[in-house]
Amino acid sequence: MSNALSLAWRTLVRRPRRLLLFIAGVTVAAAVLIDMVMLAEGLQRSLSDLLEETGYQVRVVPKGTLPFETEAAILHSTRVAAAFSADPRIADVVPLWGRTIYASSPGAEAVATFGYGAPAGTAPTLRLRVGRTLERLGEVVINRDLAERFRLSPGDSLLVGLEPDPAVGALRSRRVVRVSGVADFMFAAAGSATLALTLEDLWALAGTTSEPAALLMIRVAADANPYAVARELRGRDTSVDVYAIPEIIEAAGDRLTYFQQLSLVLGTVSLGVAFLLVTTLLTLSVNERWGEVAALRALGVTRGRMLAQVAWQGLMISAAGTVAGIAAGLIIARYLDGILTSFPGLPVNLSFFVLDRNDALLAIGLLVVTGLLAGLYPAWRAASVNIAAVLREEIE
Amino acid sequence: MKSVVAEARALHRTYMRGDTPVRAIRGIDITIQAADYVAILGPSGCGKSTLLNLLGGIDIPTAGSVRLLGHDTRELSDRRLTRLRLEKVGFVFQRFHLLPALSAAENVELPMAEAGLPRPRRRARAEDLLDYVGLSHRVDHRPGQLSGGEMQRVAIARALANKPALILADEPTGELDQDTGAEIGELFLRLNRDGTTLVIVTHDTSLARPATVVHRMRDGALQTEAKP
Ligand SMILES: Nc1ncnc2c1ncn2[C@@H]1O[C@H](COP(=O)(O)OP(=O)(O)OP(=O)(O)O)[C@@H](O)[C@H]1O
Ligand SMILES: [Mg+2]
């Protein structure tokens, strides 16, 4: 066996430059395939990872919306949250609200920011960089854009309020808050100023007493099933939608299937290209060794062994291309991800290209099978050579 | 009593060239006995190569039969016929047909590897065979580094690899100059004296002269003359 493999390999490398060119071609095709496999569900996976990272497995939103998608709100959220908390399968309920508010610092112009409101002591969508999270009224956690813009660090104070009065120029219902920490906001758009206040402060600032929440985040008890909890809550309150994380991803799916379709088409094309490259190279190689093939058959190499030799060559080319293609694909994916995630309006922590082990194995499997199939036609031709006729043609 | 290595009876081979049949072999009876040195002579196109291919089991008769070491070549599966060639028949081609990717020794080892001989034994035998054909100093050379005569010696060593009952050679000196051809002729003669059965198709009188049996062909038929 090892002998047949070594012969297959040494026959291939007799023309090293040509072999390298074809392997480079298969590498490009494999890289595209790997990238497409990463892209197909990358956004869903990355979103799902972000949602999981919060530690809350169920989301409750106003009927027919997705979190923060519209202005719709769940009113009297404290009461609603308390009612949910009574369920022993629910460990924690956190209402979140958000709206545009303005921030300014003495001597600096006010900027519009997205202001989140969360109960004091909770910060499920923050990754704290310095300082601490919101612990009492009058505190604010800001993102790094805001910290850089106003040169703020924990302990400094910041002016927040509603949109400036055009006549006076000053922020309406403004108040001074104290920076408790600087954090990355997992769902905030790249390059935008973002801050978080306690819910009570945000409600007071907005002048509302109806305690609106854009969403309730629910942590289920360790032994409870998020799907079952979500299903039950859905039945209990028909004015809201309740989603376990995979259900949110599915609900957002319509907006993400473009990538799946694009990936399917480009991935298929890249497999086709890999197939053609391997068939072409092996057909060329068999054609130029026609006499050698006939002589080997005459000397006693069976059809099956001849077929296997060429089929192995197909596998070798596709394997080499696959290995190089995975490396190239990962590098390209990183580069493209950098471009795509810097689009304005996208959460910073999202990725478009995410490699999943099973999908990677699927891509490798597809490439190997493609290499094998691509080798079959030239292999079959080599195996079914008319020995006497070819040996005769070789002399002429 | 000598044993029969190969035997053809009422042999016919007709090719189709488009719609016209080409009757390359027209009713040949021939017997090759162990230790024979058979030379087949005749004008170009008379069917010599076709006859050799039929005897060696790389072509199948359209009528009549070839018995190769007791097996009717028409009745064997391709797999078993291939195995029979591997183990019992050695081929020497006009164009050598060595594998350029392999060294001389590896080329000689190839049929032994195919037959499943363990690596150390085939390597040792390849070296012995290369020594026998006078190439002990060329063991690790590639065909591209060898002269025509040397390549044909390697091919002869390869043909001997599995201790065949019969060696078939089609114009083995056709690509060589006269002196080199004569050296190959001497090698064949030595082979035959050491007991190898040979059938050689040739135009080269230096190869035909030492033959124990000479067949002259014309238009697909034999005109045999036995030597004393
Ligand atoms: N595969 C084939 N298809 C059609 N015709 C063939 C084929 N092989 C041989 N022939 C024909 O059969 C006849 C005998 O050919 P063959 O090669 O056996 O002759 P030969 O005696 O070996 O000739 P040469 O001395 O030129 O090698 C020729 O007329 C040839 O054209
Ligand atoms: Mg001929």
Side-chain angles (χ1 to χ4, degrees), chain A residues 2-3 7 10-11 14 291-292 295-303 305 387-388 391-392 394-395, chain B residues 53 58-59 78 82 85-86 91 93-95 97 99-102 106 110 113-114 119 122 142 158:
Chain A
S2 72
N3 211 64
L7 182 57
R10 289 165 71 176
T11 305
R14 239 158 67 197
E292 189 180 309
L296 282 173
R297 289 279 292 116
L299 291 174
V301 175
T302 59
R303 281 189 185 142
R305 303 262 297 171
I387 306 170
L391 287 176
R392 178 186 161 74
E394 285 287 303
I395 309 295
Chain B
N53 292 342
I58 56 179
D59 195 4
D78 185 78
T82 303
R85 292 198 300 268
L86 177 69
F91 288 92
F93 309 104
Q94 179 174 343
R95 290 267 163 99
H97 286 306
L99 297 201
L102 304 185
E106 287 166 334
L110 189 128
E114 217 45 45
R119 189 182 298 267
R122 61 188 200 237
R142 297 280 174 101
R158 176 177 69 180

Side-chain angles (χ1 to χ4, degrees), chain A residues 389 392, chain B residues 15 17 22 24 43-50 171 203:
Chain A
R392 178 186 161 74
Chain B
Y15 299 105
R17 193 176 288 154
V22 179
S44 184
C46 70
K48 306 182 294 294
S49 295
T50 303
E171 311 266 12
H203 288 117

